[in-house]
Amino acid sequence: MSRLNIIGIVKGIRSKTNVYTPIIEAVVNAIDSIYESGRKDGEITILIKREAEFSFGDGNLPAVQSIEVIDNGVGFTQKNRDSFDTFYSDMKIARGGKGFGRFMFLKYFGDTSVSSIYKTEGGEFRLRQFQFGKQFDIVVNETDVHSEKSDTETHIYLNNIIDNKYIDKGLETIARKLLERLLIFFIDDSTPCPIIRVVDASDVGAPIILNHYINQDDSDIKLLDTKPYEISSPLSLESSHFIAKIFKVFYAQNQKSKICLTGHSREVTETTLQNYIPEFEDDFFEEEQRGKETIRKNYIVKVYVVGSYLNDNVSIERETFNFEKDKYSDLYPYSQTDIEKGAADKVRELFNNEVKVREGKKVSRITEYITSSAPWHRSYMEDLPLDKIPYHATEEQIELAFQKVKFKKEQEARIELKSILNEEQSEESSFDTDLRGLISKVTEAGKNDLAHYVCNRRIVLKLLQQLLKRRDDGKAELEKELHNLIFPMGGDSNTTDYTEHNLWLLDERLVFSEYIASDKKISAKAAPTEPDIVIFDKKRSFRNGDNEFSNPLTVFEFKRPKRTAYTADEDPIIQVGNYVDEIRAGKYETPEGVEKVKVNDCTPVYGYIVCDPCDKIKQFAKNHQLTPSPDQEGYYGFHAGFNIYFEILSYKRLQSNADLRNKIFFRKLNID
């Protein structure tokens, strides 16, 4: 006689199951037994047995210890008993029985036993009792004796729960969780579900009849509609048919709307509906008039999907399916996602008005983000996949969605360009048409990037305006704050990309300079003093030779805004001039240290001093014979002694000049 390693089978059960799984299995077996009996007065009682002592940590309810399931079906006849004693029994295969579910009993409960009164073919009532073995035999300690009872009745005892922290304590909570897993039986149009009640053995609370939760005027679960649909696969010429049963569930309790796939009347998988329709992230509500008071009742939507494809491919444990989540194959032509998406489409049709209202709110939120923070994305609004964006999307999520659209369109344009250039065009007009269409796509991407860049400039100018104001302590900001805004201190053009600095505040021509050093010695032999920014450039007409005498040199020196006190040794014109003289004297090497920096008396040199004109600065400028600007906000002129063109400009002029250069762009984007 063959033997089973029962403990090995139990340990091999997938962990996706939970403590409610064996209870559901016992109840479903009871439903099958009542269906087999053919009786119209079928009843099932789920008896909740608690620990003897109260644990005062959770509503003064003691923990659940055991479950007893009682039914008045046909009972454990010899045929049913032999099926129970057969591993992978196929007796109930027509109803989806796998002959495996009973092994769930021992995974979550320490002991399982059966007491069943059944009726023989000869009309005798007998009492069969046995335990579920834990070693090698399924049925142990069996007795079968005559009974004086005159009706069938079966008790399944699931005793000594192994870990009761995973089962709820409240009777109503337990009842509702069982109902959700059994709901498919209550909506079967072909067979009425027997009465199922949940009873607390310690008489805590009244019995709960699960049938009363369904489709009554005051019930918590209502069937909204039954929607048939079909899906097709590239691998199959035939379609597969499914039915979506759509429910309102009023006791949401922070739950989410879900799609549940079922197999042989069992809920197998569940997926949040918002994965397919983001607007279902929140629950819904309906209002009910009770006298003069209006009651608002929140609800979620649960969709139960049934179909032969699901029945044929449910796993042994009925906790998953054999087909993939997102992929199809020759053996399984439809994925879980395919089936769920079809059901979601039916829900969208049913809730079309509500979804449109919520989509409108989401569009308004995205539009507000574009207007206030990202106007450069406006051209991509029509391409935005609204069904992929969460209902309560954050700014980061909205930005990510736009970036995906932008990347996709740029990739499509590149692929199309490559195709146009590689393809031999038979007609010049066709080539021109294709190219014009492509140019419009490339231009659109360019407009997007330009708008983004211009908006960033607007932000920088606002920040500059703030930095030029006095702080709360009455003092002006330090020059290093303004320095870092224009170019990071200690950085250079090897480590700072042109998009990461704001030299355009000083002069647009400096944006793409050849080499920039900011408050940083440009070689080991540098003098102990450094200007704030030194810029080496080259004439654009020269094709090679970075270190040439003809390439311009620009030096910037910043002083603290609103500073008025300077000593004679702090003359910024002399500071810049001395620094340039040291370069000309060969005290500096190129950044790579290969050769000396080539600057002589013929090299164009520009010295800019950014400060607020005060009496001392005005005196310095007069001493060096610089000319006042017409607006009295600075000085300019060529310094023959240092051979440098100098310009002193105030922070006010720095800001106003930058504002003026960018004003037309701000107006075009409506951000002025």
Side-chain angles (χ1 to χ4, degrees):
M1 181 177 177
S2 299
R3 300 195 305 173
L4 295 175
N5 181 357
I6 293 177
I7 296 301
I9 294 171
V10 171
K11 288 182 177 180
I13 295 175
R14 297 182 182 181
S15 59
K16 188 179 177 182
T17 60
N18 58 48
V19 69
Y20 287 94
T21 304
I23 305 173
I24 294 297
E25 182 65 26
V27 174
V28 171
N29 288 340
I31 293 173
D32 289 342
S33 181
I34 291 172
Y35 286 168
E36 185 181 348
S37 72
R39 63 192 304 165
K40 304 299 182 184
D41 60 345
E43 293 186 359
I44 300 171
T45 298
I46 304 168
L47 195 60
I48 308 299
K49 301 178 180 180
R50 303 181 182 275
E51 293 177 344
E53 296 182 1
F54 283 85
S55 58
F56 293 96
D58 188 358
N60 294 334
L61 281 176
V64 175
Q65 184 178 44
S66 301
I67 304 289
E68 182 180 346
V69 179
I70 309 164
D71 72 84
N72 59 354
V74 295
F76 273 78
T77 63
Q78 190 63 39
K79 180 179 67 172
N80 288 338
R81 180 263 179 223
D82 292 341
S83 174
F84 188 89
D85 197 26
T86 303
F87 188 39
Y88 286 155
S89 169
D90 61 357
M91 191 183 82
K92 297 181 181 179
I93 194 167
R95 297 197 299 272
K98 301 284 186 179
F100 182 84
R102 59 190 176 278
F103 289 97
M104 298 287 182
F105 297 163
L106 292 184
K107 181 174 177 66
Y108 295 98
F109 292 88
D111 299 289
T112 300
S113 60
V114 174
S115 177
S116 177
I117 298 173
Y118 67 97
K119 186 177 182 180
T120 67
E121 293 182 359
E124 178 188 6
F125 286 92
R126 297 187 65 82
L127 171 63
R128 188 189 303 277
Q129 295 178 311
F130 61 85
Q131 292 177 301
F132 197 149
K134 296 182 179 180
Q135 292 183 323
F136 307 110
D137 297 315
I138 298 175
V139 174
V140 297
N141 301 328
E142 181 180 16
T143 61
D144 186 6
V145 298
H146 175 76
S147 174
E148 297 297 330
K149 295 287 183 71
S150 58
D151 199 359
T152 56
E153 184 176 275
T154 297
H155 297 247
I156 303 294
Y157 300 96
L158 306 176
N159 295 326
N160 303 317
I161 188 170
I162 293 174
D163 193 342
N164 58 21
K165 69 181 180 182
Y166 294 111
I167 190 168
D168 299 278
K169 291 184 178 181
L171 191 67
E172 187 172 357
T173 304
I174 294 173
R176 287 174 171 173
K177 288 195 174 183
L178 293 173
L179 175 62
E180 288 186 22
R181 301 287 294 274
L182 295 167
L183 189 57
I184 194 69
F185 288 96
F186 294 94
I187 59 176
D188 189 338
D189 300 328
S190 61
T191 309
C193 184
I195 296 297
I196 302 178
R197 59 174 57 89
V198 182
V199 180
D200 197 315
S202 57
D203 291 330
V204 178
I208 297 174
I209 299 177
L210 299 187
N211 309 64
H212 292 174
Y213 280 120
I214 311 296
N215 286 334
Q216 298 183 20
D217 292 338
D218 59 347
S219 62
D220 289 329
I221 300 178
K222 294 180 180 179
L223 178 63
L224 283 177
D225 207 344
T226 298
K227 295 278 192 181
Y229 67 96
E230 61 182 50
I231 58 176
S232 57
S233 168
L235 302 178
S236 175
L237 296 177
E238 298 181 355
S239 300
S240 191
H241 297 267
F242 300 89
I243 296 175
K245 294 180 178 286
I246 305 169
F247 288 84
K248 279 184 179 180
V249 181
F250 284 95
Y251 56 85
Q253 296 180 337
N254 297 322
Q255 295 184 49
K256 299 290 186 181
S257 296
K258 296 175 181 177
I259 300 174
C260 303
L261 303 189
T262 68
H264 287 298
S265 301
R266 269 79 155 186
E267 178 184 320
V268 180
T269 65
E270 63 177 22
T271 303
T272 52
L273 197 49
Q274 71 187 59
N275 288 359
Y276 300 96
I277 314 175
E279 287 66 35
F280 276 75
E281 181 178 352
D282 285 354
D283 52 6
F284 294 85
F285 71 91
E286 65 179 34
E287 294 181 344
E288 178 181 303
Q289 199 67 34
R290 295 181 182 175
K292 295 183 179 180
E293 186 178 5
T294 301
I295 305 298
R296 173 169 166 162
K297 298 175 63 179
N298 287 38
Y299 67 89
I300 61 169
V301 175
K302 289 200 76 170
V303 187
Y304 289 85
V305 182
V306 299
S308 58
Y309 180 76
L310 298 174
N311 294 338
D312 295 341
N313 293 295
V314 68
S315 67
I316 291 174
E317 299 92 340
R318 299 190 189 91
E319 294 295 329
T320 187
F321 293 100
N322 297 326
F323 46 78
E324 295 284 342
K325 170 75 174 177
D326 299 307
K327 300 177 183 177
Y328 56 81
S329 63
D330 292 333
L331 189 58
Y332 304 108
Y334 313 106
S335 69
Q336 181 177 332
T337 300
D338 294 332
I339 301 167
E340 290 173 346
K341 187 178 183 304
D345 290 342
K346 294 301 176 184
V347 176
R348 182 186 286 274
E349 292 175 8
L350 192 61
F351 285 83
N352 184 53
N353 292 335
E354 291 90 338
V355 170
K356 283 186 175 180
V357 170
R358 293 188 174 192
E359 279 185 343
K361 293 179 180 179
K362 183 165 65 175
V363 169
S364 297
R365 194 159 51 250
I366 295 172
T367 303
E368 172 62 25
Y369 170 71
I370 291 175
T371 303
S372 61
S373 303
W376 51 86
H377 287 320
R378 186 171 285 112
S379 62
Y380 292 144
M381 185 65 186
E382 292 183 0
D383 301 292
L384 201 64
L386 293 176
D387 60 334
K388 302 297 183 184
I389 300 177
Y391 179 49
H392 294 294
T394 62
E395 289 192 354
E396 289 78 10
Q397 289 172 318
I398 295 173
E399 177 63 28
L400 179 60
F402 275 116
Q403 289 297 333
K404 288 180 178 179
V405 172
K406 178 176 180 289
F407 177 77
K408 181 181 178 182
K409 293 179 77 68
E410 288 176 348
Q411 290 298 104
E412 290 173 349
R414 290 190 182 97
I415 293 171
E416 191 173 343
L417 175 61
K418 185 176 181 180
S419 174
I420 291 174
L421 296 178
N422 291 339
E423 184 179 347
E424 294 185 5
Q425 298 288 339
S426 58
E427 296 183 8
E428 184 177 347
S429 60
S430 176
F431 177 81
D432 291 342
T433 301
D434 292 343
L435 192 58
R436 279 197 297 271
L438 178 63
I439 289 173
S440 68
K441 294 181 182 179
V442 175
T443 303
E444 181 182 355
K447 288 178 180 177
N448 179 286
D449 290 339
L450 178 60
H452 190 182
Y453 182 66
V454 171
C455 286
N456 283 337
R457 283 195 171 196
R458 187 74 183 103
I459 294 171
V460 169
L461 282 168
K462 284 185 174 295
L463 181 56
L464 174 62
Q465 187 178 23
Q466 287 298 117
L467 288 175
L468 295 180
K469 295 178 180 179
R470 290 192 181 276
R471 301 183 310 205
D472 293 340
D473 59 5
K475 297 181 180 180
E477 292 287 350
L478 298 174
E479 61 267 28
K480 70 176 182 179
E481 302 298 338
L482 290 144
H483 186 157
N484 282 323
L485 177 66
I486 295 172
F487 199 100
M489 295 180 68
D492 61 23
S493 49
N494 291 331
T495 59
T496 306
D497 186 70
Y498 78 92
T499 59
E500 297 171 350
H501 69 69
N502 298 299
L503 282 171
W504 56 269
L505 286 167
L506 304 172
D507 193 323
E508 296 289 351
R509 295 170 295 180
L510 303 177
V511 173
F512 294 103
S513 298
E514 187 66 21
Y515 180 77
I516 305 168
S518 173
D519 199 52
K520 177 179 180 180
K521 297 181 185 300
I522 60 173
S523 88
K525 296 183 179 180
T529 59
E530 302 289 331
D532 288 325
I533 299 179
V534 57
I535 300 172
F536 298 92
D537 210 343
K538 62 181 180 182
K539 291 183 178 179
R540 296 306 172 198
S541 59
F542 282 62
R543 288 288 180 177
N544 49 44
D546 293 346
N547 188 31
E548 297 292 340
F549 287 112
S550 58
N551 294 339
L553 170 68
T554 305
V555 178
F556 278 90
E557 182 72 17
F558 296 98
K559 298 303 179 183
R560 186 173 186 174
K562 298 179 174 55
R563 178 178 174 181
T564 58
Y566 293 87
T567 66
D569 294 335
E570 294 177 315
D571 183 343
I573 300 170
I574 294 178
Q575 288 175 346
V576 172
N578 289 340
Y579 177 74
V580 173
D581 281 347
E582 289 174 347
I583 296 177
R584 288 177 177 142
K587 294 183 179 181
Y588 282 82
E589 296 176 349
T590 59
E592 297 82 10
V594 177
E595 58 182 336
K596 294 178 186 284
V597 174
K598 293 181 179 180
V599 176
N600 59 24
D601 289 340
C602 296
T603 301
V605 179
Y606 304 92
Y608 291 91
I609 299 163
V610 184
C611 62
D612 281 329
C614 61
D615 290 343
K616 200 65 177 176
I617 291 295
K618 292 176 182 179
Q619 185 63 48
F620 290 147
K622 183 178 180 181
N623 292 343
H624 294 287
Q625 298 181 341
L626 298 183
T627 303
S629 61
D631 60 2
Q632 301 296 307
E633 291 293 334
Y635 295 82
Y636 64 92
F638 183 76
H639 195 295
F642 288 123
N643 201 16
I644 300 173
Y645 174 82
F646 275 102
E647 187 168 343
I648 300 174
L649 64 158
S650 68
Y651 284 106
K652 178 181 178 182
R653 178 192 275 187
L654 175 71
Q655 179 185 348
S656 62
N657 286 352
D659 270 329
L660 187 61
R661 292 196 305 271
N662 290 275
K663 202 171 195 64
I664 183 62
F665 302 111
F666 299 157
R667 286 185 176 177
K668 288 293 183 181
L669 291 178
N670 295 319
I671 58 173
D672 192 7

